[in-house]
Amino acid sequence: MSFIVAIDGPAGTGKGTIASLVSKRFGFLNVDTGAMFRCVTLEIIRRKIELHEIEKIEELLSQIEISFKEESDGQRVFLNGEDVSTEIRTKQITDIISEVSKIPQVRGRLLELQRDLAKGQSIVMEGRDIGTVVFPNADVKIYLDASAEERTRRRIRQNEEKGIKMSYEEVLESVIKRDKIDSEREIAPLRKADDAILVDGTNMSIDECADVVYKIIEEKM
Ligand code: DC
């Protein structure tokens, strides 16, 4: 029987790291849905499509394949077979991704792909609407939160590891702006599901957060 863990929350809470730790500990497939929205955004930019050109976006959506592979240095993301793990994290993508994520056709297609990934296997999936929309019947729902300042500091550290340079102010502004668009959009906004367990990681290390999440999963299993 497959087991589904949904982890939602705003940018920079450590969802990605926690999901990766959970996937290793329990042997679940790890799916980063933000990376899927990033792949679509990258392809829109590469094809020089404007966000109102819906027919072109629909065509693109019918032509993309996204897959994940766990490697020793972390998870890699493939767009039509090409490793785009680094390219999808650039500021150019982050600047417009919340606008791309509002497009109903984009959400509809990614919803199908996300549900397909869970067929017949246990997964941990992280994003914004996993517990509310993608898997409303998930076995475990976690809503990870932290203050905007703490999330900004974490994003900066992550960026540094990836060789991306952005100032504190620039990242904080981007985090706050993205949270606002993500939680105010009409379709599948960022929201804690009523039955999700809130984990506030502001004053916790990633390992402490992961321990809390492991316990919640173990109790359910
Ligand atoms: O997790 P992330 O920062 O890589 O996500 C990037 C953006 O993708 C986020 O600002 C909103 C969008 N997103 C979404 O709308 N729904 C999801 N399930 C995951 C991400």
Side-chain angles (χ1 to χ4, degrees):
M1 214 187 66
S2 61
F3 194 89
I4 298 177
V5 179
I7 304 183
D8 290 302
T13 46
K15 298 190 299 289
T17 311
I18 305 272
S20 164
L21 290 167
V22 165
S23 97
K24 287 199 185 83
R25 185 177 179 107
F26 298 98
F28 296 172
L29 175 73
N30 175 16
V31 179
D32 169 2
T33 60
M36 299 173 86
F37 284 91
R38 288 174 182 277
C39 283
V40 172
T41 307
L42 173 63
E43 195 60 22
I44 286 175
I45 292 172
R46 282 182 171 175
R47 295 190 190 192
K48 299 189 170 59
I49 297 174
E50 301 275 341
L51 298 188
H52 60 84
E53 296 179 303
I54 296 301
E55 277 177 21
K56 288 189 187 168
I57 293 178
E58 282 176 336
E59 188 187 353
L60 171 163
L61 289 168
S62 70
Q63 294 166 345
I64 57 166
E65 202 190 72
I66 299 166
S67 58
F68 296 93
K69 207 161 141 193
E70 290 297 332
E71 296 200 346
S72 53
D73 59 342
Q75 192 179 50
R76 315 298 300 176
V77 187
F78 295 85
L79 170 60
N80 291 338
E82 177 193 347
D83 184 346
V84 292
S85 315
T86 307
E87 216 176 334
I88 57 170
R89 306 280 160 198
T90 59
K91 184 170 183 299
Q92 198 192 8
I93 306 267
T94 307
D95 279 348
I96 65 159
I97 192 161
S98 283
E99 294 302 329
V100 173
S101 319
K102 278 187 192 169
I103 301 170
Q105 288 83 349
V106 171
R107 299 211 76 84
R109 178 72 187 123
L110 291 186
L111 179 67
E112 280 174 5
L113 294 179
Q114 287 155 8
R115 290 194 177 146
D116 281 350
L117 284 166
K119 283 194 180 134
Q121 59 189 334
S122 294
I123 59 162
V124 49
M125 188 174 278
E126 54 112 342
R128 304 292 190 287
D129 60 339
I130 313 308
T132 51
V133 175
V134 184
F135 294 115
N137 297 321
D139 299 281
V140 170
K141 295 183 189 178
I142 309 280
Y143 190 85
L144 256 188
D145 211 348
S147 72
E149 291 73 18
E150 178 58 24
R151 292 187 286 119
T152 297
R153 286 191 284 275
R154 291 184 193 173
R155 262 290 138 101
I156 289 172
R157 280 200 297 273
Q158 271 177 4
N159 284 351
E160 279 168 358
E161 282 163 22
K162 293 185 174 114
I164 300 166
K165 279 206 178 76
M166 275 169 80
S167 71
Y168 179 85
E169 286 69 29
E170 225 178 343
V171 177
L172 179 64
E173 191 191 331
S174 149
V175 160
I176 291 173
K177 183 175 161 210
R178 212 137 59 83
D179 286 354
K180 184 170 156 59
I181 305 178
D182 292 347
S183 46
E184 289 178 356
R185 71 170 170 243
E186 258 171 60
I187 313 170
L190 166 66
R191 184 175 72 74
K192 177 186 162 300
D194 295 334
D195 52 351
I197 299 171
L198 173 71
V199 178
D200 188 326
T202 307
N203 297 311
M204 279 196 254
S205 70
I206 283 287
D207 287 336
E208 285 168 333
C209 259
D211 279 339
V212 171
V213 173
Y214 293 159
K215 287 210 180 75
I216 296 169
I217 296 172
E218 277 157 6
E219 269 168 29
K220 272 280 181 164
M221 285 173 98

